[in-house]
Amino acid sequence: MNRKQPPAGAGFHVTNGLLGIGGALLCMQSFAARAASAGWDLGLLLPAVLGMGCLVLSGVRGVLGHRLLVSKPRRRAVMWPVAACLCVFLCVEGLLLAEPVLHGAGMYEPEPGESTWLIVLGCGIKPDATPSWALANRLDAALAWYRSHPGTRLVVSGGQGSNEPEPEAVTMARYLRARGVPETDMLLETRSTSTMENFEESIGVLRRAGWTGSRLLFATNDFHLFRARMLAARNGLEAYGIGAPTPPVIWLNVYLREFFALGKSLVVDWPKG
């Protein structure tokens, strides 16, 4: 027969209250981030899913009046794997945050006689054929580098998604032309549908234009720099990233999503050739 559990102490009720408050805040964050985004995706949903889990756990604990795992051996059996997963998560997030400092464009030094190419990675356009906020930020970051480093030439890279009115590269080129970048300083890559393909197809465009190097720059959002550089390296490139800023309201969402996207890329994303 099970022993009767002693009355829950103040620590239990404080922890349970924090679980409930944290869960509610995570759910609210998902909806706040959705207002600043084009649509729901994994990154937007994850905080809400975690929040609902916290709310359910808080409710169940409140009804029972004690911990779900009463015995210490059972708690340890659960907490050690959770702690290990949390350590992996924190290490990966640390790498994502450190990437702009460790391998950013500030580390790039063109060699004598070397032409500087900058690939702008596409990431979605609106139904009216204008850049999404993320793409506009990438283009603005690339434009700032272009203006401050004479001789830089650009490759705008992005194909046409099923819900897009035209290839992303066409929208990107129009955006840059309107801000003073001449056609002679741009190449368009209109076939890619992923970051891996951005690099694969852009290399083909550059080779056909006579480029024989392996060192270049790319522009993307700050949270995406680490994975993009990894995929560039798999295509034989020594690449340095220019990180475009991310609105603070979606920091949690994009870095959560990038953790899982990196895991997927480590296993799945390899050059076709």
Side-chain angles (χ1 to χ4, degrees):
M1 191 166 65
N2 293 333
R3 290 184 300 172
K4 185 177 180 181
Q5 295 299 317
F12 171 85
H13 293 296
V14 170
T15 302
N16 218 40
L18 291 175
L19 269 175
I21 293 170
L25 290 175
L26 285 168
C27 292
M28 291 168 61
Q29 193 279 337
S30 278
F31 286 98
R34 171 63 182 85
S37 305
W40 289 103
D41 60 22
L42 178 63
L44 293 178
L45 289 170
L46 277 173
V49 172
L50 291 172
M52 290 300 297
C54 289
L55 288 171
V56 169
L57 179 59
S58 175
V60 172
R61 281 164 52 98
V63 170
L64 295 177
H66 59 77
R67 295 171 174 173
L68 296 185
L69 299 173
V70 177
S71 70
K72 288 184 178 180
R74 289 182 179 178
R75 284 204 301 273
R76 282 196 291 265
V78 171
M79 293 308 297
W80 279 111
V82 170
C85 291
L86 182 59
C87 286
V88 171
F89 174 78
L90 292 176
C91 288
V92 170
E93 294 299 328
L95 289 173
L96 299 183
L97 291 168
E99 179 66 16
V101 176
L102 298 179
H103 299 100
M107 306 293 291
Y108 173 76
E109 290 289 342
E111 297 175 355
E114 181 183 38
S115 58
T116 299
W117 284 97
L118 195 172
I119 301 174
V120 189
L121 307 182
C123 66
I125 59 176
K126 299 177 183 178
D128 62 355
T130 58
S132 62
W133 68 262
L135 183 55
N137 284 356
R138 295 182 186 191
L139 290 165
D140 289 341
L143 188 59
W145 179 277
Y146 171 83
R147 287 171 173 168
S148 61
H149 295 79
T152 300
R153 299 174 68 189
L154 307 174
V155 179
V156 288
S157 175
Q160 183 173 0
S162 59
N163 61 342
E164 294 178 329
E166 65 184 11
E168 293 168 5
V170 174
T171 298
M172 296 159 75
R174 184 166 56 246
Y175 184 94
L176 293 172
R177 280 197 304 270
R179 286 154 182 80
V181 180
E183 295 276 1
T184 53
D185 282 352
M186 274 192 291
L187 295 176
L188 275 69
E189 181 287 297
T190 59
R191 298 176 57 184
S192 59
T193 58
S194 67
T195 304
M196 174 57 81
E197 290 181 3
N198 284 144
F199 288 113
E200 286 182 312
E201 298 293 340
S202 293
I203 289 171
V205 169
L206 285 167
R207 297 292 186 232
R208 289 190 289 273
W211 183 69
T212 58
S214 62
R215 301 172 75 247
L216 48 67
L217 299 161
F218 65 91
T220 186
N221 294 99
D222 45 15
F223 62 86
H224 187 230
L225 286 171
F226 183 89
R227 182 161 60 98
R229 184 175 64 85
M230 179 189 76
L231 298 180
R234 287 183 177 179
N235 281 281
L237 298 174
E238 182 183 335
Y240 299 84
I242 299 171
T246 300
V249 70
I250 62 169
W251 278 350
L252 175 63
N253 310 88
V254 295
Y255 280 98
L256 275 175
R257 178 186 178 278
E258 194 63 15
F259 174 80
F260 293 99
L262 178 60
K264 172 255 183 186
S265 287
L266 283 169
V267 177
V268 174
D269 289 335
W270 295 88
K272 295 174 184 175

